[in-house]
Amino acid sequence: MIRTRAVGDTRALAHVPRRVVECVVLGLWLALAVLWELTCPLDDEGDGLVRRTVTCAAFLMAVGYLLTGVRRGPARELREARAVARATQDVLLRPLPPSIDGLTLAARRLSVSQGADVGGDLYEAVATPYGVRIVIGDVRGHGLPAIGAVAAVLGSFREAAYDEAALDGVLRRLDRAYQRRLRDLARQEHPAGGGREPENPAAEEFVTVLLLEIGADSDVRALNCGHPWPFRLGQGAAVPLTAGEPLPPLGAFPLPDDLAPHLCGRLPPGEALFLHTDGAEDARDAAGRFFGLQDALVRTLSGQPPGVPVSPAHVARQVHTALLRHTGGRITDDVALLVLRNDRNDRGARGDRARVPAQSGEPALRRARSEPSRR
């Protein structure tokens, strides 16, 4: 900490000479203008007009320089603050890779807070020995105040997804992490003496979570805690992927003892899943009409050539644009969109897999490991 303070003090002192020089130059300029006005002998009206013009120009230049300096300092600090905020946001909600273990990914997000990319919505996808695991969630509230809960859930998922062999173990880890955050909030809002737990926990806080696991066999398993179910995209249709009643959101009620994941069937090669938060379905236009998310998906898919796999980047971009057009750019809740397509083609009993060719606008996928050459 001492070293950090020393570095900060050094950086602050580095600006002192420049500011001193600027002040000295400005003072000399004004002094010369005043000296010109006082020492020049009075002459005819023409020379007096010249003196007054020169003096006014000098003062106007000085005032302009001061105004420029006043605006330049805050603008520079604002740029630095935005750069720090963007770096922090990228660490918290880091950009997804274009492809991961045979899946092509594309994501879009909107935040209510102006100038921020991260709000109360979260998503992540990681490749684990148990399959690709995806989480998408929505914290109660929106904007910057919800970032703490987003950090707690994402941090726990990034560890539990690798450590837990079963999907229910991942969800219980997320619940424990979020419960710790709620207790911390309760201690701040309702402090209790003697190291006791607060009597009034932060019961109004909760987060909806959808966990998906796509195994090597392309089977989809899910655990849903109050989150909207995704849409299955393929053959020009967008069908809701429903698999029973969801559990309550995390933080609202304790998790049940039995947490068997729902079996959602197989995701065929070339088909995709469209994950979203409720901000997309709840968005309204100026007349109060809700955004037709499923209709927007169908319109997007209708433009796909027959036999061509769904393009996640195209779907995410089109829905994002349609959402902004519908709301006029005035959203009232954070929005997160995540599209993933299965690029695996099962061939033969050995389970060798090829890749579905990348679509226009998508990064080229890594080629599958070639088959052994025949002798």
Side-chain angles (χ1 to χ4, degrees):
M1 183 176 293
I2 295 176
R3 183 178 180 272
T4 304
R5 290 179 178 175
V7 172
D9 294 341
T10 303
R11 292 179 178 176
L13 291 175
H15 296 286
V16 172
R18 185 180 61 185
R19 294 173 182 174
V20 171
V21 171
E22 291 176 352
C23 292
V24 170
V25 172
L26 182 60
L28 289 176
W29 178 257
L30 293 177
L32 288 174
V34 174
L35 186 63
W36 165 272
E37 181 69 23
L38 294 177
T39 57
C40 284
L42 296 177
D43 206 339
D44 55 18
E45 186 175 352
D47 292 340
L49 179 61
V50 172
R51 279 201 314 273
R52 288 194 296 270
T53 302
V54 172
T55 304
C56 290
F59 275 96
L60 287 176
M61 291 177 65
V63 172
Y65 183 82
L66 287 175
L67 291 178
T68 303
V70 168
R71 294 185 59 185
R72 185 175 55 190
R76 181 174 59 250
E77 294 177 359
L78 179 60
R79 287 195 300 269
E80 294 176 353
R82 286 180 174 176
V84 172
R86 188 169 298 276
T88 304
Q89 292 170 0
D90 289 341
V91 171
L92 176 60
L93 194 60
R94 58 196 181 194
L96 295 177
S99 62
I100 178 173
D101 195 22
L103 300 178
T104 297
L105 307 176
R108 294 273 178 149
R109 61 188 185 227
L110 291 170
S111 175
V112 172
S113 299
Q114 188 174 5
D117 291 335
V118 179
D121 293 350
L122 59 99
Y123 55 77
E124 180 64 289
V126 294
T128 72
Y130 318 105
V132 178
R133 287 176 169 175
I134 302 103
V135 64
I136 186 169
D138 186 0
V139 177
R140 180 184 179 271
H142 52 257
L144 297 177
I147 288 183
V150 172
V153 175
L154 281 181
S156 177
F157 172 78
R158 287 165 179 164
E159 291 292 332
Y162 294 100
D163 296 341
E164 299 293 334
L167 200 60
D168 60 311
V170 178
L171 184 60
R172 293 192 187 279
R173 290 272 292 271
L174 299 188
D175 182 60
R176 288 197 294 269
Y178 190 67
Q179 293 294 341
R180 286 195 298 269
R181 170 171 170 77
L182 293 183
R183 288 194 294 270
D184 293 340
L185 288 177
R187 293 190 187 98
Q188 297 174 8
E189 298 174 358
H190 311 285
R196 295 173 297 172
E197 290 293 329
E199 298 179 358
N200 299 314
E204 296 181 356
E205 300 294 330
F206 61 85
V207 55
T208 66
V209 169
L210 173 66
L211 283 179
L212 292 181
E213 180 182 277
I214 303 178
D217 53 2
S218 299
D219 286 342
V220 181
R221 298 170 180 82
L223 280 173
N224 191 343
C225 292
H227 198 82
W229 286 102
F231 289 91
R232 184 191 292 269
L233 309 181
Q235 304 299 324
V239 181
L241 181 70
T242 56
E245 290 295 325
L247 299 167
L250 297 183
F253 300 96
L255 290 176
D257 295 334
D258 184 16
L259 276 181
H262 296 286
L263 299 178
C264 304
R266 183 173 175 270
L267 184 65
E271 292 194 0
L273 293 178
F274 181 89
L275 286 67
H276 63 284
T277 56
D278 59 5
E281 294 179 320
D282 296 342
R284 304 191 186 193
D285 60 7
R289 293 170 297 190
F290 288 101
F291 176 64
L293 178 59
Q294 188 172 7
D295 294 338
L297 289 171
V298 172
R299 287 194 301 270
T300 301
L301 296 175
S302 62
Q304 290 281 125
V308 176
V310 175
S311 170
H314 176 72
V315 171
R317 181 173 60 253
Q318 290 296 108
V319 174
H320 181 269
T321 302
L323 182 60
L324 290 178
R325 185 185 303 115
H326 180 81
T327 61
R330 297 181 297 271
I331 61 173
T332 58
D333 194 7
D334 300 323
V335 177
L337 310 175
L338 174 59
V339 190
L340 56 94
R341 184 189 67 205
N342 185 12
D343 287 340
R344 300 163 176 166
N345 272 332
D346 297 330
R347 296 190 303 175
R350 295 173 52 195
D352 296 335
R353 293 174 299 188
R355 306 294 188 189
V356 175
Q359 304 305 306
S360 176
E362 296 180 7
L365 302 176
R366 293 177 300 178
R367 293 184 177 179
R369 183 177 301 174
S370 60
E371 298 181 356
S373 58
R374 298 179 179 178
R375 293 184 178 179

